[in-house]
Amino acid sequence: MKQAFDIGPLNRNLTKMHPEARVLVQPLPDCPQVQLALLDPTPMKHRPFTEEEIKTIQDYPAYWAFCWGSGQALAAQILDTPSLVAGKTVMDFGAGSGVIAIAASLAGAREVIACDIDPDALIACQINAHINQVSFRLHDDLFSFDEPLDLLIAADVLYDRNNLPLLEQFHSIATEVLVADSRIKQFDFPPYCRFSSRECGTVPDLDETRDFNNINFYCNRPIRTDRRVPASQEPLPI
């Protein structure tokens, strides 16, 4: 059944980045059963930006308006392998658009928490949950969360090497940790071990180098990767 949802708050938030920026609800290429309200690249393509516009974009980069490659890759992995999350209490850390939280909800997680320090990202998570007809909790500070976690998932959070200490903190907070990353080429952070990889890009396409499309998955404990492709890959009706 078609459900109404309001993307107006996201468009209003995007004007902080650029007055012409807007979102477009679109299925993801690598997991089309998930739809997200993401930046519509059409008004922003093939045009020069003034120095003032570039500064405004840098001041408000709107990370939540993109589905970054690692997030899309791990969402696809979860949907192909529901046993990664089924029956577990799962946190999507640095949730951004909420793609991991949505995938975990669709794959049968017992409870899902989307965590992001950006209040606009939490608004995006809530609207994208509505678009995909799932629900999960929102939280704004990992270090004030004092409930047991079976699984913490972090995708595209290691773009800044200053974030590397988070790996040890994740390990102390949750029983199991899954990390998706394409930036660190020598990933040597015991007890994390690589268990799989996947080719995936960012949506909308940022024309990133191919290296950034090679997504590696790491876990802090041995993991099985038996895949089960979902029965339906059809996107939800808009």
Side-chain angles (χ1 to χ4, degrees):
M1 179 179 178
K2 185 177 179 179
Q3 294 190 4
F5 48 85
D6 181 13
I7 60 175
L10 301 184
N11 283 328
R12 288 191 290 273
N13 286 337
L14 268 186
T15 62
K16 303 174 193 175
M17 183 178 78
H18 194 277
E20 296 179 21
R22 63 176 183 266
V23 297
L24 174 70
V25 177
Q26 51 197 289
L28 298 179
D30 285 75
C31 40
Q33 63 270 60
V34 175
Q35 294 184 87
L36 298 176
L38 302 173
L39 179 71
D40 180 355
T42 305
M44 313 295 286
K45 275 187 173 181
H46 309 303
R47 52 152 294 173
F49 291 97
T50 66
E51 288 185 11
E52 184 178 351
E53 286 176 322
I54 292 170
K55 183 179 185 306
T56 302
I57 292 170
Q58 290 173 338
D59 288 343
Y60 185 78
Y63 295 119
W64 55 265
F66 297 83
C67 182
W68 301 91
S70 294
Q72 183 182 192
L74 191 46
Q77 186 82 4
I78 288 168
L79 291 168
D80 286 354
T81 319
S83 59
L84 290 171
V85 300
K88 298 178 182 179
T89 299
V90 178
M91 175 176 282
D92 175 10
F93 174 79
S97 65
V99 63
I100 298 294
I102 291 165
S105 299
L106 292 173
R110 183 171 64 85
E111 184 175 17
V112 178
I113 303 100
C115 181
D116 203 296
I117 60 172
D118 180 357
D120 290 350
L122 295 180
I123 293 171
C125 286
Q126 189 171 40
I127 290 172
N128 285 325
H130 192 185
I131 291 170
N132 289 277
Q133 301 176 32
V134 299
S135 62
F136 44 75
R137 293 164 57 190
L138 304 175
H139 195 73
D140 63 358
D141 180 10
L142 172 65
F143 302 106
S144 69
F145 190 84
D146 60 359
E147 303 171 36
L149 282 175
D150 298 316
L151 174 62
L152 185 149
I153 300 177
D156 278 310
V157 301
L158 302 179
Y159 54 87
D160 185 338
R161 294 191 72 86
N162 290 330
N163 289 345
L164 287 174
L166 287 170
L167 291 171
E168 184 174 351
Q169 292 169 320
F170 294 159
H171 183 56
S172 68
I173 289 169
T175 303
E176 187 176 355
V177 182
L178 291 184
V179 176
D181 179 73
S182 65
R183 309 285 167 165
I184 299 177
K185 301 309 175 188
Q186 301 296 324
F187 196 102
D188 185 17
F189 303 102
Y192 293 90
C193 292
R194 178 181 173 277
F195 69 89
S196 189
S197 64
R198 196 166 189 138
E199 289 283 329
C200 210
T202 295
V203 183
D205 185 7
L206 294 177
D207 197 26
E208 294 175 300
T209 67
R210 186 172 179 83
D211 283 350
F212 289 156
N213 291 341
N214 183 23
I215 316 299
N216 291 305
F217 304 135
Y218 306 91
C219 190
N220 64 334
R221 57 190 300 180
I223 191 167
R224 292 184 59 185
T225 57
D226 297 337
R227 289 164 58 90
R228 179 185 67 78
V229 177
S232 174
Q233 296 286 341
E234 294 296 320
L236 293 170
I238 297 178

